[in-house]
Amino acid sequence: MGGIHFPFVSSVFGIVVAASVVFVLPKFFGRTDSRRKTGGRTGPRATEGLVTSDQIVNDYDTVLSKLWGGPRPKYYEDAMQTWKEKYDLTGKVAVVTGGAGGVGFYISKLLARLGCRVIIPWREGLEFEANSARDAIRKAVGPSALVDVSTKPLDLSSFASVRSFAQDIKGKLKSLDILCLNAGRGGAKGDPREVTSDGCESIMQVNALSHFLLTAELMPLLKAAKAARVISQSSAGRMHWGAKSDFSQRMRDDLSGEKIAPEAYNAVTQYLVSKAAQCFFTLGLNKRLQAAGVDNVVAVAAEPGFACTGVNIQHNLGHSALGFSDGLVPTCALHDFFGHHAADGALNAVMACADPDVEGNFFFSPRDGASGPPTKHTVQSLRKTKDAKKDPMVVPTADSDGSFWGDRDEMTERFWMQAAAASKAVWAL
């Protein structure tokens, strides 16, 4: 999953770059957003099913660069060759949501390389992607790679599907070491507000609420492991760039955006709220685990940087982030200039899964913000970042000064209350 990350948009340099993107790149590269290529479809419908089984198995790296723009992987192959020496996951079992495509595919692939048994969920109509991802990983890692496609599908837009999937997993495993909550969807300014069959706004349910429920359902397996970890995939967008002033209020009591006027709905803002929600979920889960005396399960979070994936295509960034007319500035061109490959974006979540020296509320992100090698942030080091006041992952000290989020402990509890009410999750801690 790609993350919104545009540190340049408020600068004069950004204006110059944006102008060059408008007038030069579309002509030079001859690309338009895949949203437009697919007949104006929005959200995941704009980007699903565009890669064949043969492409997934034989040359996924190149196919993604051609499809979404951006460079080839820079750091991933080295990790495939060298990380096993420091991150040996032999005997571990992981579930990776969204593990069949984009960033998730590369998380699954590297975890398998590290010796982990990886379970890849699938969605109805896209079974071929999960099966092809399994075959591609076995081809890259070797036939002995422990990669399984789940028996039951997992549709994060349905709480019933989440429960059915979890029940099946619990019937097959005795314990679970790694739960990587990677799957997610995006949306663009101007996209209609979509509501699931559960009555929740779709972006919030897929990105946050269903992962909340899935973790609750699988908690008995996590507690049964010697040392288990829950990893939430967030985004630089969690820090509220470009969102309206009601952003924190939305987090406080309106996760699904039900209180805003229909014409004021913005799918990108909803995505940003969902990514902040995943941070508050991490903080709240660690708080509850500690209170219950559960010391063998910790929750951490990561972000992929400006990864060149279909999620950013769903965002239609030239329009939604830079404010140009719809279709004028291709997201692929922005990927070419500022992004990094989905494989490199995956390294942060894999490090979060595998690094043995990790405590609750650690965060993993690219060194240079939008791109770069993966970097681990402790609770203390996060407090020293320039965006600490805006970052929902920062755990404040008793004498911390003002924050965009106000009382973050209260905000965490507000998120937890809304998520529990919407999903009807039961936590057995």
Side-chain angles (χ1 to χ4, degrees), residues 53-294:
S53 294
D54 183 70
Q55 290 172 325
I56 294 171
V57 172
N58 292 313
D59 199 6
Y60 196 51
D61 295 358
T62 300
V63 169
L64 287 193
S65 292
K66 289 182 177 179
L67 191 61
W68 311 134
R72 297 274 301 176
K74 185 175 182 179
Y75 304 103
Y76 190 82
E77 284 308 314
D78 179 71
M80 285 286 289
Q81 298 300 319
T82 65
W83 277 24
K84 183 70 180 290
E85 299 174 5
K86 55 182 177 180
Y87 303 138
D88 189 350
L89 297 182
T90 301
K92 304 285 188 180
V93 181
V95 170
V96 181
T97 67
V103 169
F105 167 81
Y106 292 101
I107 294 173
S108 299
K109 181 179 174 181
L110 185 48
L111 288 177
R113 175 69 182 89
L114 300 180
C116 190
R117 177 189 174 192
V118 181
I119 299 173
I120 301 177
W122 55 278
R123 285 191 296 131
E124 291 185 4
L126 294 172
E127 297 94 326
F128 77 94
E129 289 190 350
N131 290 327
S132 300
R134 175 200 59 207
D135 295 344
I137 292 170
R138 288 176 178 171
K139 180 179 179 180
V141 176
S144 62
L146 301 176
V147 187
D148 299 317
V149 175
S150 64
T151 304
K152 292 283 188 178
L154 175 62
D155 180 356
L156 293 172
S157 67
S158 165
F159 292 142
S161 177
V162 173
R163 289 188 170 91
S164 175
F165 172 84
Q167 188 65 29
D168 184 68
I169 293 293
K170 287 187 284 188
K172 290 179 169 60
L173 299 180
K174 294 182 178 180
S175 62
L176 179 65
D177 304 281
I178 298 167
L179 178 57
C180 185
L181 307 174
N182 163 77
R185 58 154 296 179
K189 181 180 179 181
D191 286 357
R193 183 177 185 271
E194 298 179 32
V195 178
T196 70
S197 60
D198 297 301
C200 301
E201 191 278 332
S202 181
I203 294 173
M204 183 58 65
Q205 180 163 342
V206 169
N207 293 359
L209 300 180
S210 282
H211 280 142
F212 178 93
L213 175 61
L214 181 62
T215 308
E217 291 288 316
L218 295 180
M219 185 54 66
L221 293 182
L222 293 164
K223 289 172 62 179
K226 181 178 179 180
R229 199 169 297 179
V230 178
I231 300 89
S232 290
Q233 186 78 280
S234 187
S235 162
R238 74 190 185 279
M239 293 183 287
H240 173 61
W241 70 263
K244 295 182 179 180
S245 59
D246 66 351
F247 192 67
S248 60
Q249 187 60 40
R250 291 274 302 281
M251 180 63 64
R252 190 180 302 275
D253 63 7
D254 191 22
L255 287 178
S256 280
E258 296 175 352
K259 297 181 181 181
I260 60 175
E263 63 272 14
Y265 173 80
N266 186 327
V268 174
T269 300
Q270 192 66 18
Y271 175 84
L272 303 181
V273 175
S274 76
K275 290 302 169 179
Q278 289 176 289
C279 296
F280 288 119
F281 165 66
T282 300
L283 299 179
L285 179 55
N286 282 317
K287 177 181 177 181
R288 284 161 173 77
L289 289 167
Q290 292 169 7
V294 179

